[in-house]
Amino acid sequence: MAGVAVVVLVVLAATFAFVYRSTGSQLRAQIDRSVRNSALQLKDAIQQRRVPTATAALTRAARYAGTQPFRDSNMLLFVLIPGSGTASNHPELFGYGRPDSRENGVSQRLENGYGLRLTQPQVGYSTKAAADSGAVRLFEVRFRIAGTTAYAGAGEPLETVEHAQEVVRHSFELAGAVGLALALLAAYLLGTRITGPIRRSAEVAARIDAGDLSPRIHLPSGSGNELQVMAEALNHMLDRLAGAFAAQREFVADASHELRTPLTVLRGQLDVLDGGDRDDGSLSPEELERVQRLMQGEIARLSRLVDDLLLLAQSDRDDFLRPVELRLDALVTELWDGLSLTAERNFELGHLEPVVVWADPDRLAQALRNLARNAVAQTQAPDGLVRVDVSRRGADVVRVTVSDDGPGIDPDLRERVFERFYRTDRARARADGGAGLGLAIVRAITEAHHGSVRVTDAPAGGAAFVLDLPLSSGRRPEPGMAATATATRSV
Ligand SMILES: Nc1ncnc2c1ncn2[C@@H]1O[C@H](COP(=O)(O)OP(=O)(O)OP(=O)(O)O)[C@@H](O)[C@H]1O
Ligand SMILES: [Mg+2]
């Protein structure tokens, strides 16, 4: 508001100075023109006809001037003939004519002084003080008449200029006061309108800073498009933040819970070791072996859980993948051959299209291994089906399908199974069930490759997991990168 006040005052002052000065100079130029014209007209009128004497010239001048009385025209006309006298349409100014009975001696003398100065001829323009009228602008011209030198002059009081300038000043004072008040009012209203929503947003930000993620910015309608957009963006961000924090809390709680179970088992087994089952407090070799086996199993479970958690935590990072150019059909064949040694199932290689992809072989193998392990867990030995297919979908996409002849997945749960720590009730009931991270890892790896994964019904009756991967995974190989990745893999 102070800024607006300063701007308004500066603009008004500059405009005032300009108008004030130009009004004065224009009026003065106009007065100069009209006094000059009047003086010349007066001279012409007297010179029109010959006159015998200076006195006759003065009489003629007085008659001419009498036709334009000063009272009506505000134009002083006079003729001076040194040695003979003065004729004027305002004789009082020249110190003669009727004296004002009300004036005292001092002012009378002062007026006489002014009159004396007026009767001194001065050719051209001059400004002189005159009684009653203040300063008078004069123009005098010399001419000859009846054998003598005469001066014709005209004058106009300058008080009209002062008066006009006074009017200008008053107008500006009034306009300035009103303009300033209106500008300040407008600045205040505009300021509160703009800062209101910002203040409200700042209050919300302060509450969020204090740890409360629930408040949202609600702006009154008409707060301006940009502010509405900003508020919506902030609210959206807060929703996402709140969601992310909640998911993180849930994740930490689930992870802690999953870690606690094997730790409890381990502690229990340590107690068994402490107690012993024989009279002398030691363990029988069979019991020792059982405890050892149990503890190793739990430690393996713990390590896998920690590895899985670590992998999920890294999946957002740029260096999560070390992609190389690889033959996907070869990778799948190698993997299925290896898996067939670990479980007694019918590991079937279906249609394998030879295709080269730009992908991380270790991560991809891990995703396919997770799918195969799930299929093994859901099918019966010895000939439960665990099948893999590789086929091209259009020019840019390759599809890997891992299917089985197990119970399949309920359509309602087909999205949920990809959530972290999600297990179906049947899996929860099983003692050897995992933590529920396998499919979350599959999804994380697929998405890191810019692909997608979903589950449908398999032709054999079980579940079919469908991975669609872009052939180049959205990234072009960089010369140095491929070499490093290949080297890492060979290690
Ligand atoms: N091929 C399948 N057929 C039927 N159900 C499946 C299949 N694969 C996964 N599921 C169901 O989806 C759930 C989630 O699978 P996920 O691999 O994420 O976890 P998990 O196998 O239980 O544990 P983890 O893989 O961490 O050891 C499983 O609990 C299982 O019930
Ligand atoms: Mg699994």
Side-chain angles (χ1 to χ4, degrees), residues 170-192:
H170 282 314
S171 313
F172 266 87
E173 276 165 7
L174 186 69
V178 172
L180 189 64
L182 286 178
L184 287 179
L185 184 69
Y188 175 76
L189 292 178
L190 201 70
T192 47

Side-chain angles (χ1 to χ4, degrees), residues 1 111 196 242-243 330 335 417 433 435 468:
M1 282 175 70
E111 284 187 12
L335 196 66
V417 289
D468 281 337

Side-chain angles (χ1 to χ4, degrees), residues 304 370 373-374 434 436-439:
R304 221 190 101 201
N370 282 1
R373 278 211 198 106
N374 282 352
L437 290 175
L439 289 180

Side-chain angles (χ1 to χ4, degrees), residues 304 374-375 378 404 408-409 417 422-424 427 434-439 463 465:
R304 221 190 101 201
N374 282 352
Q378 302 291 336
D404 59 64
I409 297 178
V417 289
Y422 182 80
R423 281 172 299 177
T424 57
L437 290 175
L439 289 180
F465 285 84

Side-chain angles (χ1 to χ4, degrees), residues 304-305 308 370-379 402-410 413 416-428 430 432-442 455 462-465:
R304 221 190 101 201
L305 189 63
D308 285 355
N370 282 1
L371 293 178
R373 278 211 198 106
N374 282 352
V376 168
Q378 302 291 336
T379 51
V402 177
S403 50
D404 59 64
D405 61 355
I409 297 178
D410 197 79
L413 303 177
R416 296 214 63 191
V417 289
F418 290 100
E419 287 172 13
R420 295 168 177 193
F421 296 110
Y422 182 80
R423 281 172 299 177
T424 57
D425 293 338
R426 202 157 5 103
R428 241 188 290 268
R430 264 199 343 257
D432 61 340
L437 290 175
L439 289 180
I441 288 173
V442 172
V455 59
F465 285 84

Side-chain angles (χ1 to χ4, degrees), residues 71-381:
R71 245 175 297 113
D72 303 339
S73 63
N74 206 30
M75 177 68 77
L76 173 68
L77 297 173
F78 58 93
V79 171
L80 306 173
I81 302 179
S84 298
T86 309
S88 169
N89 65 347
H90 193 357
E92 290 88 347
L93 284 182
F94 292 85
Y96 62 94
R98 276 160 293 152
D100 194 329
S101 54
R102 280 169 301 167
E103 289 173 5
N104 60 29
V106 178
S107 64
Q108 188 63 52
R109 270 203 302 282
L110 201 65
E111 284 187 12
N112 288 348
Y114 291 139
L116 201 64
R117 238 169 285 152
L118 277 179
T119 51
Q120 312 279 315
Q122 187 172 349
V123 174
Y125 286 110
S126 62
T127 305
K128 289 180 184 168
D132 292 344
S133 318
V136 181
R137 185 69 170 160
L138 297 164
F139 184 82
E140 289 170 45
V141 61
R142 190 190 299 127
F143 62 102
R144 293 204 53 92
I145 191 154
T148 177
T149 303
Y151 298 90
E156 206 177 317
L158 283 174
E159 68 183 9
T160 48
V161 178
E162 281 152 23
H163 182 68
Q165 285 183 324
E166 194 87 332
V167 170
V168 167
R169 203 174 66 232
H170 282 314
S171 313
F172 266 87
E173 276 165 7
L174 186 69
V178 172
L180 189 64
L182 286 178
L184 287 179
L185 184 69
Y188 175 76
L189 292 178
L190 201 70
T192 47
R193 211 184 123 122
I194 291 174
T195 55
I198 294 175
R199 258 203 315 275
R200 216 166 295 184
S201 309
E203 280 162 18
V204 171
R207 282 174 62 191
I208 288 161
D209 190 35
D212 179 8
L213 274 182
S214 61
R216 295 289 179 270
I217 304 166
H218 299 290
L219 296 184
S221 56
S223 301
N225 205 16
E226 297 84 352
L227 289 170
Q228 291 283 10
V229 169
M230 186 197 74
E232 271 167 34
L234 282 177
N235 285 345
H236 187 63
M237 186 189 77
L238 287 173
D239 287 344
R240 284 201 8 228
L241 269 181
F245 282 139
Q248 206 173 31
R249 271 196 301 274
E250 201 180 326
F251 181 72
V252 172
D254 287 342
S256 314
H257 179 76
E258 290 297 330
L259 288 168
R260 191 190 287 151
T261 317
L263 286 173
T264 313
V265 176
L266 284 175
R267 192 180 299 129
Q269 296 311 310
L270 280 174
D271 287 346
V272 172
L273 283 181
D274 234 13
D277 64 341
R278 292 202 298 218
D279 296 342
D280 60 355
S282 64
L283 276 184
S284 62
E286 305 82 54
E287 184 62 4
L288 197 63
E289 197 188 327
R290 191 190 66 81
V291 169
Q292 215 172 4
R293 216 179 33 247
L294 244 165
M295 287 179 82
Q296 266 165 1
E298 289 309 317
I299 286 171
R301 196 171 137 126
L302 260 180
S303 315
R304 221 190 101 201
L305 189 63
V306 171
D307 287 348
D308 285 355
L309 288 173
L310 214 56
L311 184 139
L312 280 173
Q314 289 170 343
S315 66
D316 291 339
R317 286 173 37 172
D318 287 343
D319 59 352
F320 179 57
L321 295 184
R322 294 166 178 275
V324 292
E325 249 180 11
L326 63 97
R327 279 283 296 270
L328 192 56
D329 51 315
L331 178 104
V332 164
T333 311
E334 200 181 315
L335 196 66
W336 247 238
D337 287 348
L339 283 168
S340 62
L341 304 175
T342 63
E344 204 185 335
R345 296 287 187 282
N346 173 19
F347 283 95
E348 189 177 298
L349 289 166
H351 171 71
L352 295 185
E353 206 165 304
V355 53
V356 176
V357 292
W358 177 248
D360 183 326
D362 292 335
R363 301 285 191 215
L364 214 50
Q366 185 173 6
L368 294 174
R369 217 178 288 124
N370 282 1
L371 293 178
R373 278 211 198 106
N374 282 352
V376 168
Q378 302 291 336
T379 51
Q380 304 292 324

